[in-house]
Amino acid sequence: MPIGDIQLGAPGCDVERLRKHLRWGMDNDCYFLGMGDYTDRLRPSTRRILRAEASDRDDFQKMIDEKAETDLRMLLRILKPTRGRWLGLVSGHHLWEFGDGSTTDTRLASELETHYMGDAAAMSILRFKHKKASSVGYLRIDGKIWYHHGHGNARTLGGKLSKLIGISQTFFAHVYLQGHVHAKVHAKTPWIDTAVDRHGKVRWVSTSRIVATTGGFLKGYEMGTKNAHGYPAGSYVEKAMLPPVALGGILIMMRPRIIDGRVELDIGYQDG
């Protein structure tokens, strides 16, 4: 279950939906992937401005560090039941860099007992191995997940997948995931190859590959929203006239099957 675009601390963050989503995942023995933008701590342009100010004022850096740490602790209280169940975690655009060089994302990865995979593309490989050895060794297969927080925006459903489709023509994986756009869009395509078994017989090797955007938990439109001074004001989604999206996350199912003495992967998708 990829989890990202929570933006905890922003108006409209649906914390209760996130809790239910995580609870379902734990009840069904799922693993998680971090897709970025976990708290609402500042976009890159804002961070540059604040970093310039903080370079001359230690008290300013300390003040923002303390606020970022408070938000992070709030998020960890929500994510605590999932500790040890994460395959990896990438950074998004919304984060804060502390005075010691760590970020809200690197600290989150440490607290969740998972790997921090950086701020670009990442690959997690799941190795499935059958308990019983065959005559030529253990039956096993690797399931590959390519993931990235994402960059840019697109209005159409096809446009939201266009970069992932391009990546799928260059890097091989069974699943390609992207956050950032908040929408849940996917496409499932077959991958057909040939292989030669130990008897010299040629056979088909087929599996499905999935490209998907991973959703989010931030409401773009709400009635009666106001700014910090109490005046009517909308979210950045509403101000930019962006379309609303269905909240929540997705579920990727990667199941090994033994067929005619060989192992293949059955790849599935479900909207959460």
Side-chain angles (χ1 to χ4, degrees):
M1 293 177 71
I3 304 288
D5 296 291
I6 301 169
Q7 292 183 226
L8 187 73
C13 176
D14 195 336
V15 174
E16 188 54 34
R17 181 184 291 269
L18 174 62
R19 290 185 193 275
K20 290 179 179 179
H21 191 69
L22 296 171
R23 192 179 305 126
W24 188 96
M26 293 302 293
D27 289 345
N28 288 275
D29 200 27
C30 294
Y31 287 85
F32 303 92
L33 278 175
M35 300 301 298
D37 284 5
Y38 312 101
T39 63
D40 197 44
R41 286 297 96 203
L42 313 172
R43 293 184 295 273
S45 57
T46 310
R47 288 202 303 273
R48 284 193 293 270
I49 296 170
L50 291 179
R51 226 181 260 122
E53 178 70 20
S55 64
D56 298 324
R57 293 180 53 191
D58 291 340
D59 60 326
F60 191 75
Q61 175 78 50
K62 182 180 178 182
M63 178 183 67
I64 302 177
D65 281 2
E66 289 175 350
K67 181 63 174 73
E69 186 67 31
T70 298
D71 288 352
L72 182 58
R73 290 296 153 193
M74 187 184 307
L75 178 61
L76 283 168
R77 284 196 291 273
I78 298 170
L79 299 180
K80 183 179 179 180
T82 66
R83 185 175 290 153
R85 302 287 298 182
W86 293 72
L87 302 178
L89 179 156
V90 295
S91 281
H93 298 86
H94 295 254
L95 54 89
W96 176 248
E97 184 177 331
F98 295 96
D100 63 2
S102 65
T103 70
T104 45
D105 291 353
T106 61
R107 293 188 181 188
L108 181 62
S110 177
E111 291 285 350
L112 292 175
E113 300 174 5
T114 189
H115 300 287
Y116 174 65
M117 305 292 279
D119 60 358
M123 178 84 81
S124 287
I125 302 174
L126 307 183
R127 172 153 289 181
F128 299 97
K129 185 168 67 172
H130 195 267
K131 294 178 181 178
K132 184 179 179 181
S134 70
S135 59
V136 292
Y138 284 101
L139 292 173
R140 70 184 190 186
I141 192 168
D142 291 342
K144 301 178 181 180
I145 305 173
W146 187 101
Y147 54 110
H148 193 295
H149 173 67
H151 190 270
N153 207 343
R155 298 280 179 135
T156 65
L157 297 180
K160 294 180 188 300
L161 290 178
S162 61
K163 288 187 177 181
L164 280 181
I165 292 171
I167 289 294
S168 72
Q169 296 171 352
T170 306
F171 293 90
F172 177 81
H174 298 92
V175 179
Y176 304 83
L177 301 174
Q178 175 192 315
H180 185 58
V181 297
H182 293 221
K184 293 181 287 185
V185 188
H186 86 287
K188 187 175 182 179
T189 58
W191 178 271
I192 301 174
D193 198 358
T194 53
V196 181
D197 65 20
R198 61 193 179 94
H199 301 294
K201 183 179 179 180
V202 178
R203 60 178 175 82
W204 290 113
V205 178
S206 62
T207 187
S208 294
R209 297 194 300 162
I210 289 176
V211 292
T213 57
T214 56
F217 296 86
L218 187 66
K219 298 175 184 176
Y221 290 79
E222 289 187 285
M223 290 287 289
T225 53
K226 298 179 180 180
N227 63 20
H229 303 287
Y231 294 105
S235 68
Y236 71 85
V237 175
E238 189 172 350
K239 290 175 182 175
M241 292 180 65
L242 297 173
V245 297
L247 301 186
I250 65 172
L251 171 69
I252 299 293
M253 292 156 286
M254 186 176 287
R255 297 166 290 199
R257 309 278 195 200
I258 295 177
I259 302 173
D260 297 330
R262 64 182 186 273
V263 61
E264 296 184 359
L265 280 181
D266 179 12
I267 310 294
Y269 169 99
Q270 184 173 316
D271 189 333

